[in-house]
Amino acid sequence: MTDRALSVVRAGALTTVQDRGRPGHAHLGVPRSGALDQPAAGLANRLVGNRPEAAVLETTLNGCAVRPRSTVTVAVTGAPCRVTMDGRAVAWGAPVRVPAGALLEVGAAVLGVRSYVAVSGGVTVEPVLGSRSTDLLSRLGPPPLSDGAVLPLGRPEEPHTHVDVGPQPAPPAELVLRVTPGPRDDWFTPEAVRAFTTRTFRVSSASNRIGLRTEGPALERARSGELPSEGMVLGAVQVPPDGRPVVFLADHPTTGGYPVIGVVRTADLPAAAQAVPGTPVRFVAVRRR
Protein backbone atom coordinates (compact mmCIF):
# COMPACT_ATOMS: atom_id res chain seq x y z
CA MET A 1 0.00 0.00 0.00
CA THR A 2 1.40 3.40 -1.00
CA ASP A 3 2.09 5.72 1.94
CA ARG A 4 0.40 8.99 0.98
CA ALA A 5 2.05 11.35 3.45
CA LEU A 6 4.46 14.25 3.70
CA SER A 7 7.23 14.37 6.33
CA VAL A 8 8.24 17.81 7.57
CA VAL A 9 12.03 18.14 7.70
CA ARG A 10 12.17 21.90 8.35
CA ALA A 11 9.02 23.70 9.45
CA GLY A 12 10.33 27.24 8.94
CA ALA A 13 9.33 30.39 10.84
CA LEU A 14 5.59 29.76 10.45
CA THR A 15 4.14 27.18 8.09
CA THR A 16 0.46 26.31 8.38
CA VAL A 17 -2.12 24.23 6.58
CA GLN A 18 -4.65 26.44 4.78
CA ASP A 19 -7.58 26.07 2.41
CA ARG A 20 -10.51 28.36 1.58
CA GLY A 21 -11.33 28.72 5.27
CA ARG A 22 -14.48 28.25 7.34
CA PRO A 23 -16.90 31.11 6.56
CA GLY A 24 -20.29 31.33 8.24
CA HIS A 25 -19.23 30.80 11.87
CA ALA A 26 -18.71 34.38 13.06
CA HIS A 27 -21.73 33.99 15.37
CA LEU A 28 -19.69 31.33 17.19
CA GLY A 29 -16.67 33.64 17.46
CA VAL A 30 -14.83 31.78 14.70
CA PRO A 31 -13.22 33.83 11.89
CA ARG A 32 -12.99 32.59 8.32
CA SER A 33 -9.25 31.90 8.38
CA GLY A 34 -7.89 30.23 5.21
CA ALA A 35 -5.01 31.21 2.92
CA LEU A 36 -4.20 34.92 3.13
CA ASP A 37 -3.33 35.01 -0.58
CA GLN A 38 -6.23 32.99 -1.97
CA PRO A 39 -5.36 33.52 -5.67
CA ALA A 40 -1.84 32.16 -5.10
CA ALA A 41 -3.14 29.14 -3.18
CA GLY A 42 -5.74 28.48 -5.86
CA LEU A 43 -3.14 28.65 -8.62
CA ALA A 44 -0.89 26.17 -6.79
CA ASN A 45 -3.80 23.73 -6.63
CA ARG A 46 -4.54 24.20 -10.34
CA LEU A 47 -0.93 23.50 -11.24
CA VAL A 48 -0.96 20.09 -9.52
CA GLY A 49 -4.50 19.15 -10.63
CA ASN A 50 -6.21 19.56 -7.24
CA ARG A 51 -9.69 20.88 -6.62
CA PRO A 52 -9.76 24.56 -5.58
CA GLU A 53 -10.73 23.68 -2.01
CA ALA A 54 -7.75 21.35 -1.42
CA ALA A 55 -5.53 22.25 1.53
CA VAL A 56 -2.03 23.59 0.87
CA LEU A 57 0.91 24.75 2.98
CA GLU A 58 1.36 28.47 3.62
CA THR A 59 4.96 29.40 4.49
CA THR A 60 6.13 32.68 6.02
CA LEU A 61 9.36 34.41 4.99
CA ASN A 62 11.86 31.53 5.16
CA GLY A 63 9.99 28.61 3.57
CA CYS A 64 10.12 24.97 4.67
CA ALA A 65 11.49 21.56 3.66
CA VAL A 66 9.40 18.40 3.19
CA ARG A 67 9.93 14.82 2.08
CA PRO A 68 7.06 12.89 0.41
CA ARG A 69 6.68 9.20 1.22
CA SER A 70 5.33 8.51 -2.27
CA THR A 71 5.84 10.16 -5.65
CA VAL A 72 3.84 13.40 -5.87
CA THR A 73 3.47 16.51 -7.99
CA VAL A 74 4.24 19.77 -6.18
CA ALA A 75 3.86 23.43 -7.12
CA VAL A 76 5.09 26.51 -5.23
CA THR A 77 3.43 29.89 -5.82
CA GLY A 78 2.94 33.19 -3.99
CA ALA A 79 6.12 34.87 -2.83
CA PRO A 80 8.93 34.07 -5.30
CA CYS A 81 11.62 31.85 -3.76
CA ARG A 82 14.28 29.30 -4.65
CA VAL A 83 12.93 25.74 -4.85
CA THR A 84 15.26 22.73 -4.84
CA MET A 85 14.87 18.95 -4.95
CA ASP A 86 17.75 17.04 -3.34
CA GLY A 87 19.82 20.22 -3.72
CA ARG A 88 19.06 20.71 -7.43
CA ALA A 89 17.11 23.79 -8.50
CA VAL A 90 13.61 23.12 -9.86
CA ALA A 91 10.88 25.39 -11.13
CA TRP A 92 8.93 27.86 -9.01
CA GLY A 93 5.38 28.55 -10.21
CA ALA A 94 5.15 25.29 -12.19
CA PRO A 95 4.35 21.62 -11.44
CA VAL A 96 7.34 19.52 -10.37
CA ARG A 97 7.38 15.72 -10.05
CA VAL A 98 8.98 14.78 -6.71
CA PRO A 99 9.91 11.09 -6.20
CA ALA A 100 9.28 9.29 -2.93
CA GLY A 101 12.01 10.13 -0.40
CA ALA A 102 13.33 13.20 -2.23
CA LEU A 103 13.86 16.37 -0.20
CA LEU A 104 11.91 19.34 -1.49
CA GLU A 105 13.16 22.64 -0.07
CA VAL A 106 11.18 25.87 -0.36
CA GLY A 107 13.63 28.70 0.26
CA ALA A 108 13.31 32.16 1.74
CA ALA A 109 11.03 34.62 -0.02
CA VAL A 110 12.98 36.80 -2.43
CA LEU A 111 10.00 39.16 -2.70
CA GLY A 112 6.83 39.13 -0.64
CA VAL A 113 6.08 37.19 2.53
CA ARG A 114 4.06 34.00 1.96
CA SER A 115 4.63 31.10 -0.42
CA TYR A 116 2.11 28.32 -1.09
CA VAL A 117 3.01 24.66 -1.52
CA ALA A 118 0.37 22.46 -3.16
CA VAL A 119 0.83 18.68 -3.31
CA SER A 120 -1.20 16.43 -5.61
CA GLY A 121 -4.09 15.03 -3.60
CA GLY A 122 -3.97 17.88 -1.11
CA VAL A 123 -3.16 17.83 2.61
CA THR A 124 -5.90 15.81 4.30
CA VAL A 125 -5.60 16.59 7.99
CA GLU A 126 -8.88 16.23 9.90
CA PRO A 127 -11.26 19.11 9.04
CA VAL A 128 -12.77 21.29 11.79
CA LEU A 129 -16.06 23.05 11.01
CA GLY A 130 -15.64 22.09 7.37
CA SER A 131 -12.09 23.39 6.93
CA ARG A 132 -8.53 22.11 7.35
CA SER A 133 -7.17 25.63 7.93
CA THR A 134 -4.98 26.54 10.88
CA ASP A 135 -6.57 29.45 12.75
CA LEU A 136 -3.97 31.17 14.91
CA LEU A 137 -6.52 33.25 16.83
CA SER A 138 -9.10 30.64 17.85
CA ARG A 139 -6.58 27.77 17.61
CA LEU A 140 -8.82 25.62 15.48
CA GLY A 141 -7.44 23.23 12.90
CA PRO A 142 -3.97 21.66 12.94
CA PRO A 143 -1.17 23.40 14.84
CA PRO A 144 1.54 25.20 12.86
CA LEU A 145 4.00 22.72 11.40
CA SER A 146 6.89 21.46 13.50
CA ASP A 147 9.99 19.54 12.51
CA GLY A 148 9.22 15.84 12.27
CA ALA A 149 5.47 16.25 11.74
CA VAL A 150 3.78 13.93 9.24
CA LEU A 151 0.90 15.21 7.11
CA PRO A 152 -1.52 12.82 5.36
CA LEU A 153 -2.17 13.36 1.65
CA GLY A 154 -5.23 12.56 -0.43
CA ARG A 155 -5.39 10.65 -3.69
CA PRO A 156 -4.64 12.70 -6.83
CA GLU A 157 -7.59 13.68 -8.99
CA GLU A 158 -8.06 11.67 -12.17
CA PRO A 159 -7.63 12.72 -14.87
CA HIS A 160 -5.02 15.34 -14.05
CA THR A 161 -5.69 18.58 -15.96
CA HIS A 162 -2.18 19.59 -16.94
CA VAL A 163 -1.18 23.24 -16.52
CA ASP A 164 2.43 24.17 -17.31
CA VAL A 165 2.59 27.57 -15.63
CA GLY A 166 0.27 30.40 -14.59
CA PRO A 167 0.68 34.20 -14.39
CA GLN A 168 1.25 35.62 -10.92
CA PRO A 169 1.33 39.25 -9.77
CA ALA A 170 4.54 40.52 -8.23
CA PRO A 171 4.47 41.39 -4.51
CA PRO A 172 3.59 45.08 -4.17
CA ALA A 173 6.25 47.78 -4.08
CA GLU A 174 3.45 50.02 -2.80
CA LEU A 175 0.26 48.67 -1.25
CA VAL A 176 -2.83 50.54 -2.47
CA LEU A 177 -5.98 49.53 -0.60
CA ARG A 178 -9.42 50.67 -1.72
CA VAL A 179 -11.47 51.43 1.36
CA THR A 180 -15.14 52.21 1.95
CA PRO A 181 -15.39 54.82 4.73
CA GLY A 182 -17.24 53.97 7.95
CA PRO A 183 -19.08 52.73 9.84
CA ARG A 184 -17.28 54.64 12.65
CA ASP A 185 -15.40 57.33 10.74
CA ASP A 186 -17.44 59.88 12.71
CA TRP A 187 -15.35 58.91 15.76
CA PHE A 188 -12.37 60.71 14.19
CA THR A 189 -11.58 64.36 13.58
CA PRO A 190 -12.01 65.68 10.02
CA GLU A 191 -8.22 66.06 9.87
CA ALA A 192 -7.75 62.40 10.83
CA VAL A 193 -10.27 61.21 8.23
CA ARG A 194 -8.46 63.28 5.61
CA ALA A 195 -5.06 61.96 6.71
CA PHE A 196 -6.32 58.37 6.49
CA THR A 197 -6.94 58.66 2.75
CA THR A 198 -4.23 61.16 1.79
CA ARG A 199 -1.16 60.30 3.88
CA THR A 200 1.20 57.35 3.37
CA PHE A 201 1.57 54.64 6.03
CA ARG A 202 4.00 51.71 6.12
CA VAL A 203 3.58 48.01 6.90
CA SER A 204 4.71 47.25 10.44
CA SER A 205 6.88 44.25 11.34
CA ALA A 206 4.21 43.42 13.96
CA SER A 207 1.81 42.33 11.19
CA ASN A 208 0.56 38.72 11.17
CA ARG A 209 -2.31 36.56 9.93
CA ILE A 210 -4.69 38.40 12.27
CA GLY A 211 -4.01 41.87 10.94
CA LEU A 212 -1.74 44.07 8.88
CA ARG A 213 -0.48 46.72 11.29
CA THR A 214 0.72 50.06 10.04
CA GLU A 215 3.18 52.74 11.07
CA GLY A 216 2.71 56.40 10.24
CA PRO A 217 0.50 59.31 11.24
CA ALA A 218 -1.66 58.71 14.31
CA LEU A 219 -5.37 59.24 13.61
CA GLU A 220 -6.88 61.49 16.27
CA ARG A 221 -10.29 60.67 17.67
CA ALA A 222 -13.09 63.18 17.99
CA ARG A 223 -14.68 61.16 20.82
CA SER A 224 -13.32 59.71 24.05
CA GLY A 225 -14.14 56.35 25.57
CA GLU A 226 -14.65 53.05 23.78
CA LEU A 227 -17.45 51.44 21.83
CA PRO A 228 -19.29 48.37 23.09
CA SER A 229 -17.96 45.32 21.23
CA GLU A 230 -19.49 44.95 17.78
CA GLY A 231 -19.07 42.59 14.86
CA MET A 232 -15.90 42.75 12.76
CA VAL A 233 -15.53 41.72 9.14
CA LEU A 234 -12.63 40.74 6.91
CA GLY A 235 -10.88 43.91 5.74
CA ALA A 236 -12.14 46.11 8.58
CA VAL A 237 -9.66 48.90 9.39
CA GLN A 238 -9.71 49.20 13.16
CA VAL A 239 -7.91 52.05 14.92
CA PRO A 240 -6.60 51.22 18.43
CA PRO A 241 -5.72 53.92 20.99
CA ASP A 242 -2.28 54.55 19.44
CA GLY A 243 -4.05 55.86 16.32
CA ARG A 244 -2.32 53.51 13.84
CA PRO A 245 -4.75 51.64 11.54
CA VAL A 246 -4.88 47.84 11.58
CA VAL A 247 -6.34 45.98 8.56
CA PHE A 248 -8.05 42.78 9.68
CA LEU A 249 -6.97 39.67 7.76
CA ALA A 250 -8.19 36.07 7.71
CA ASP A 251 -7.65 35.18 11.40
CA HIS A 252 -9.20 38.42 12.70
CA PRO A 253 -11.39 38.53 15.83
CA THR A 254 -15.10 38.47 15.08
CA THR A 255 -15.89 41.27 17.56
CA GLY A 256 -14.04 44.36 18.76
CA GLY A 257 -14.49 47.64 20.57
CA TYR A 258 -12.09 49.95 18.74
CA PRO A 259 -13.73 52.11 16.04
CA VAL A 260 -13.57 50.98 12.41
CA ILE A 261 -12.72 53.90 10.14
CA GLY A 262 -13.26 51.96 6.92
CA VAL A 263 -13.38 48.54 5.24
CA VAL A 264 -10.90 47.42 2.59
CA ARG A 265 -12.20 45.73 -0.55
CA THR A 266 -11.73 41.96 -0.32
CA ALA A 267 -10.06 41.88 -3.75
CA ASP A 268 -7.19 44.02 -2.39
CA LEU A 269 -6.36 41.78 0.58
CA PRO A 270 -4.18 39.17 -1.23
CA ALA A 271 -1.65 41.91 -1.96
CA ALA A 272 -1.67 42.82 1.74
CA ALA A 273 -0.65 39.22 2.50
CA GLN A 274 2.54 39.71 0.46
CA ALA A 275 3.53 43.21 1.65
CA VAL A 276 6.83 43.07 3.54
CA PRO A 277 7.50 45.33 6.55
CA GLY A 278 8.32 48.85 5.41
CA THR A 279 6.13 48.68 2.29
CA PRO A 280 4.31 52.00 1.73
CA VAL A 281 0.54 51.75 2.26
CA ARG A 282 -2.07 54.11 0.84
CA PHE A 283 -5.80 53.95 1.59
CA VAL A 284 -7.96 55.18 -1.29
CA ALA A 285 -11.58 56.06 -0.49
CA VAL A 286 -14.22 54.52 -2.77
CA ARG A 287 -17.98 54.85 -2.77
CA ARG A 288 -20.26 52.37 -1.08
CA ARG A 289 -21.68 49.85 -3.52
Side-chain angles (χ1 to χ4, degrees), residues 4 10 28 41 44 49 59 87 137 152 186 192-193 199 216 267 277:
R4 296 286 303 172
R10 181 178 65 84
L28 301 176
T59 73
L137 184 66
D186 59 344
V193 173
R199 299 283 297 278

Side-chain angles (χ1 to χ4, degrees), residues 110-131:
V110 177
L111 296 170
V113 178
R114 295 172 174 91
S115 298
Y116 292 86
V117 185
V119 183
S120 52
V123 178
T124 55
V125 294
E126 192 68 25
V128 178
L129 294 177
S131 171

